[in-house]
Amino acid sequence: MEHSVSNDTIPRCRIELFSGLRVKIGGRNLHVPRERRAADLLAYLAYYPHLQHPRERLQDMLWPDVISKENLNLAVSRLGKCLEPGGSVRNGVYLHSDRSIVTLNASCIDTDIADLEESLKSARHGDSEHKIRCLTRAMLLYRGELLPEFYDEWIDQERRRWEEASIRTLKALVQLHSEKHQYEQALEFARRLVNSNSLDEQSQLCLLMLHVLTGRIDVALRHAGDIQSLFQREGLPLSSKVQKVIQQIQHRASGEQQLTPDLKTLIEMVESDASNPSKLVRSRQLEPTGGAIPLDSEYYIQRPTDTAFAQAIARHDSIVVVKGPHQTGKTSLLSRGLHHARQLNASVVYTDFKLFSETLLESADTFLDTLAEAIREQLNLPEPAERPLLADPNSRFERFLRREVLNNLPNSLVWGMDSVDRLFLCPYGESIFALMRSWHESRSLLPDGPWHKLTLVISVATEPYLYIRNLNQSPFNVGTRLELDDFTLEEVAELNRQYASPIRSDEELVQLHELLGGHPFLTHQGLHEMRRAGTTLTELIERADDTAWIFGPHLRTLFGLLEADPEMAETVRQVCSGGESPTRDRFDRLRSAGVLRGMAADEAHPRCSLYARYLLPRLKERFLAERV
């Protein structure tokens, strides 16, 4: 806001909001009274000093249940007298107010918020020394939480944002100093880091290492005990890595002045490998989202199905069916089950039917012959001296599997099949599934035969009963059946911890779970974005259905699939609108496609609130266009 008074003659006003509201003008401390919410008004204006605030918005924010505007007028008057004793509020130097807006004169005011933001921005560029200076200044400015004892809704969100920013800044300072072997300086910031985030194992372990590196062995021993006591009180388990380090430190004999061999080894480890403090404070490397989660990923969530799958493999079950809607993690689970099979010395074959072209799926002859060649190649089997002359492709393939594979393998065979849904649409699909069922039954009929060596792991999303008329010839209702569903709230909480806890409260976890329904892919994607870009949950919720943002490709693909099937699109519109229940057939298809959820058709509902929020207006628009 422009003023007639020259800024050169005006004493600077300094407003600080971290660790409490403080105001100085020309070196003089001012007391801002809490009466009439004058201090609350100043805090908001100072946090956004470059904005002109409409009176109606300020009135609604500070007095949401009061219609009269007199409260705002009194607060502005009291604040004006505090900042400019004897001056005119309407034409004040630091505070400007008229009939429509209230604002501070940003050209005459400095804030710790603005200075801290500038320091963090400057730290993005330059060498390590420059970054250390900028980040150290930022932490000097961050004297404590934002506006303690102020309780307006807008403050809660910003307070959490600055707490998270301070933790990231402290981690960066520990990392930068440790990389330069400046362990004393790193120790100072590591202490602050632990005070801010005491239940973060990596921070605790980093401080423990720095105590050792700076020769404070007794302090390290005491701190090791404090860590164990803290996590025990909170009912949290310590990772094996932390326990191992603590045990090595505690091996030091009581009263011994020299380091024991174990502790010397620990220090060498700290200074040379991934246990270096500069690496400990780094957050886990983010991984691309989408597709199967790698076996060595730190972002995989163990679920009860993992244990059940491993047990089925260990028992050499004949058939293991992994069933669940699209993008619930079936392929990731399948890869871990096959890895477990290899550890048990089983031979493993993996077939992803998504990779079969339409040409290869045209006939049973082409399909099964191609499948046999793929299995032969994976198991490194020799080419047969002569090809069997059997005309029936099923008999030919069964002979291959029995004679060339099972009879020649010294161990068992686990055959993992992904995206088996594609076979449902093939004219010969039922005969293939009947063949699989026969292998299962041959275990009982021919106990000394080769089929007891075979375990089939079948991953499927579609309801098999929709395509297999004779259930006695189905492999999907025998053996072990594993159902994969979306993440529970507890599993979302665990994933949040793996992403270094961008969500800090139980209430926010519930909000995220309600928005995404525990959808594994979307939950990974949302937490990945929060961790990568510092996005807040509020921003995530507000932008969730923006097709130009992170969920956009997924949502557009979903809508495209519905557009291609008008009956299914209309069913989803009715469910989202609270209309009549879908038929069982339509419900099962949409549940398999990962669009709807529910135990039965009359309990159908969108998979998550984001789907309803995104799909309903578009499906309504499409419906109205068709009616016209």
Side-chain angles (χ1 to χ4, degrees), residues 202-367:
Q202 295 293 81
S203 300
Q204 290 282 12
L205 185 54
C206 178
L207 180 56
L208 194 62
M209 296 292 194
L210 286 166
H211 282 316
V212 174
L213 288 171
T214 54
R216 297 174 171 87
I217 307 303
D218 290 340
V219 176
L221 288 168
R222 289 196 300 272
H223 186 61
D226 292 342
I227 294 173
Q228 292 173 313
S229 299
L230 172 64
F231 277 72
Q232 185 176 13
R233 286 197 307 272
E234 296 294 331
L236 297 174
L238 276 173
S239 70
S240 58
K241 181 178 181 179
V242 177
Q243 291 178 12
K244 179 179 179 182
V245 171
I246 289 177
Q247 288 168 2
Q248 287 176 311
I249 292 177
Q250 290 176 336
H251 282 167
R252 176 176 181 261
S254 176
E256 183 181 338
Q257 297 303 312
Q258 300 297 320
L259 298 183
T260 65
D262 281 337
L263 201 51
K264 288 179 179 178
T265 302
L266 171 63
I267 292 179
E268 291 171 0
M269 178 185 73
V270 168
E271 292 181 325
S272 62
D273 71 3
S275 295
N276 189 286
S278 67
K279 297 179 181 178
L280 276 173
V281 295
R282 291 177 183 153
S283 299
R284 286 174 174 170
Q285 291 296 313
L286 289 175
E287 301 170 357
T289 56
I293 298 176
L295 284 174
D296 60 351
S297 172
E298 296 178 308
Y299 296 95
Y300 180 75
I301 293 296
Q302 292 274 347
R303 293 184 264 184
T305 45
D306 287 83
T307 302
F309 196 177
Q311 291 171 343
I313 295 296
R315 290 193 304 263
H316 303 293
D317 287 4
S318 60
I319 293 177
V320 182
V321 178
V322 178
K323 184 178 175 299
H326 287 294
Q327 294 186 315
T328 49
K330 295 188 297 297
T331 302
S332 298
L333 175 64
L334 181 58
S335 67
R336 281 155 178 79
L338 298 182
H339 178 67
H340 182 61
R342 293 187 187 95
Q343 291 179 320
L344 296 175
N345 296 318
S347 296
V348 171
V349 168
Y350 173 68
T351 305
D352 185 354
F353 292 114
K354 287 198 303 289
L355 304 179
F356 280 64
S357 67
E358 294 296 333
T359 302
L360 293 178
L361 293 174
E362 281 181 355
S363 69
D365 275 286
T366 306
F367 169 69

Side-chain angles (χ1 to χ4, degrees), residues 44-323:
Y44 186 75
L45 297 177
Y47 196 82
Y48 302 104
H50 294 283
L51 299 181
Q52 298 184 18
H53 304 277
R55 280 180 166 268
E56 291 78 6
R57 185 182 301 166
L58 293 173
Q59 174 71 35
D60 291 342
M61 183 190 70
L62 295 172
W63 296 274
D65 301 321
V66 179
I67 298 177
S68 172
K69 298 180 181 179
E70 187 59 25
N71 287 303
L72 178 59
N73 292 333
L74 290 172
V76 170
S77 175
R78 186 174 290 271
L79 181 57
K81 291 176 181 177
C82 172
L83 294 177
E84 304 168 34
S88 166
V89 172
R90 184 170 299 278
N91 298 309
V93 172
Y94 302 107
L95 178 69
H96 175 82
S97 173
D98 58 27
R99 293 182 178 180
S100 59
I101 62 104
V102 180
T103 188
L104 294 177
N105 181 6
S107 63
C108 302
I109 290 176
D110 303 315
T111 67
D112 55 354
I113 291 281
D115 292 345
L116 197 156
E117 287 179 331
E118 180 59 33
S119 294
L120 293 178
K121 181 179 179 181
S122 180
R124 298 172 189 167
H125 311 286
D127 59 18
S128 60
E129 290 295 339
H130 172 76
K131 291 178 179 179
I132 287 174
R133 286 195 299 271
C134 292
L135 295 178
T136 300
R137 181 170 184 264
M139 290 314 303
L140 289 174
L141 290 164
Y142 186 80
R143 300 170 55 177
E145 71 176 14
L146 176 71
L147 294 168
E149 300 181 2
F150 284 71
Y151 304 107
D152 286 309
E153 186 177 346
W154 71 271
I155 296 176
D156 291 337
Q157 176 182 326
E158 295 304 306
R159 185 179 291 141
R160 286 194 297 271
R161 185 169 74 87
W162 282 110
E163 286 173 355
E164 293 163 3
S166 71
I167 288 173
R168 290 195 299 270
T169 302
L170 287 169
K171 285 185 175 182
L173 282 166
V174 175
Q175 176 184 331
L176 288 165
H177 280 300
S178 296
E179 286 174 346
K180 292 176 171 292
H181 303 287
Q182 298 170 346
Y183 296 134
E184 288 288 351
Q185 294 91 327
L187 183 64
E188 174 189 348
F189 294 110
R191 288 195 183 103
R192 290 185 63 177
L193 182 59
V194 166
N195 289 337
S196 302
N197 200 17
S198 61
L199 293 178
D200 180 65
E201 276 195 351
Q202 295 293 81
S203 300
Q204 290 282 12
L205 185 54
C206 178
L207 180 56
L208 194 62
M209 296 292 194
L210 286 166
H211 282 316
V212 174
L213 288 171
T214 54
R216 297 174 171 87
I217 307 303
D218 290 340
V219 176
L221 288 168
R222 289 196 300 272
H223 186 61
D226 292 342
I227 294 173
Q228 292 173 313
S229 299
L230 172 64
F231 277 72
Q232 185 176 13
R233 286 197 307 272
E234 296 294 331
L236 297 174
L238 276 173
S239 70
S240 58
K241 181 178 181 179
V242 177
Q243 291 178 12
K244 179 179 179 182
V245 171
I246 289 177
Q247 288 168 2
Q248 287 176 311
I249 292 177
Q250 290 176 336
H251 282 167
R252 176 176 181 261
S254 176
E256 183 181 338
Q257 297 303 312
Q258 300 297 320
L259 298 183
T260 65
D262 281 337
L263 201 51
K264 288 179 179 178
T265 302
L266 171 63
I267 292 179
E268 291 171 0
M269 178 185 73
V270 168
E271 292 181 325
S272 62
D273 71 3
S275 295
N276 189 286
S278 67
K279 297 179 181 178
L280 276 173
V281 295
R282 291 177 183 153
S283 299
R284 286 174 174 170
Q285 291 296 313
L286 289 175
E287 301 170 357
T289 56
I293 298 176
L295 284 174
D296 60 351
S297 172
E298 296 178 308
Y299 296 95
Y300 180 75
I301 293 296
Q302 292 274 347
R303 293 184 264 184
T305 45
D306 287 83
T307 302
F309 196 177
Q311 291 171 343
I313 295 296
R315 290 193 304 263
H316 303 293
D317 287 4
S318 60
I319 293 177
V320 182
V321 178
V322 178
K323 184 178 175 299

Side-chain angles (χ1 to χ4, degrees), residues 319-323 420-421 423-424 429 433-434 436-437 458-465 468 471 473-481:
I319 293 177
V320 182
V321 178
V322 178
K323 184 178 175 299
V420 175
D421 309 67
L423 299 185
F424 288 133
F433 295 130
M436 295 179 184
R437 173 67 176 256
I458 307 172
S459 170
V460 63
T462 308
E463 291 289 348
Y465 87 88
I468 300 178
L471 296 182
Q473 293 185 344
S474 171
F476 298 99
N477 54 2
V478 294
T480 299
R481 292 172 54 87

Side-chain angles (χ1 to χ4, degrees), residues 335-513:
S335 67
R336 281 155 178 79
L338 298 182
H339 178 67
H340 182 61
R342 293 187 187 95
Q343 291 179 320
L344 296 175
N345 296 318
S347 296
V348 171
V349 168
Y350 173 68
T351 305
D352 185 354
F353 292 114
K354 287 198 303 289
L355 304 179
F356 280 64
S357 67
E358 294 296 333
T359 302
L360 293 178
L361 293 174
E362 281 181 355
S363 69
D365 275 286
T366 306
F367 169 69
L368 290 174
D369 286 348
T370 304
L371 191 57
E373 289 301 319
I375 293 173
R376 181 180 284 112
E377 183 176 345
Q378 287 192 49
L379 294 175
N380 198 26
L381 299 176
E383 291 289 333
E386 58 181 24
R387 299 281 181 174
L389 300 177
L390 298 172
D392 176 52
N394 281 16
S395 300
R396 196 164 63 242
F397 183 80
E398 182 174 29
R399 176 190 173 108
F400 157 75
L401 193 59
R402 183 182 68 252
R403 288 192 175 187
E404 296 189 46
V405 179
L406 297 177
N407 282 341
N408 290 323
L409 285 178
N411 50 5
S412 60
L413 173 66
V414 178
W415 182 5
M417 305 179 193
D418 209 353
S419 305
V420 175
D421 309 67
R422 290 201 70 191
L423 299 185
F424 288 133
L425 302 177
C426 296
Y428 52 84
E430 274 199 78
S431 68
I432 299 293
F433 295 130
L435 188 61
M436 295 179 184
R437 173 67 176 256
S438 73
W439 300 336
H440 162 77
E441 293 176 346
S442 292
R443 278 194 168 199
S444 300
L445 298 173
L446 303 170
D448 296 328
W451 300 107
H452 74 279
K453 298 169 67 175
L454 176 64
T455 295
L456 299 180
V457 181
I458 307 172
S459 170
V460 63
T462 308
E463 291 289 348
Y465 87 88
L466 296 172
Y467 299 94
I468 300 178
R469 289 163 294 188
N470 186 351
L471 296 182
N472 291 324
Q473 293 185 344
S474 171
F476 298 99
N477 54 2
V478 294
T480 299
R481 292 172 54 87
L482 303 176
E483 295 273 349
L484 264 186
D485 205 346
D486 291 328
F487 288 152
T488 64
L489 180 60
E490 291 73 19
E491 287 163 349
V492 172
E494 174 59 25
L495 186 62
N496 178 56
R497 284 191 286 272
Q498 292 179 353
Y499 274 99
S501 299
I503 292 179
R504 304 295 298 278
S505 70
D506 292 341
E507 292 77 12
E508 285 194 340
L509 279 172
V510 171
Q511 287 180 279
L512 181 69
H513 193 258

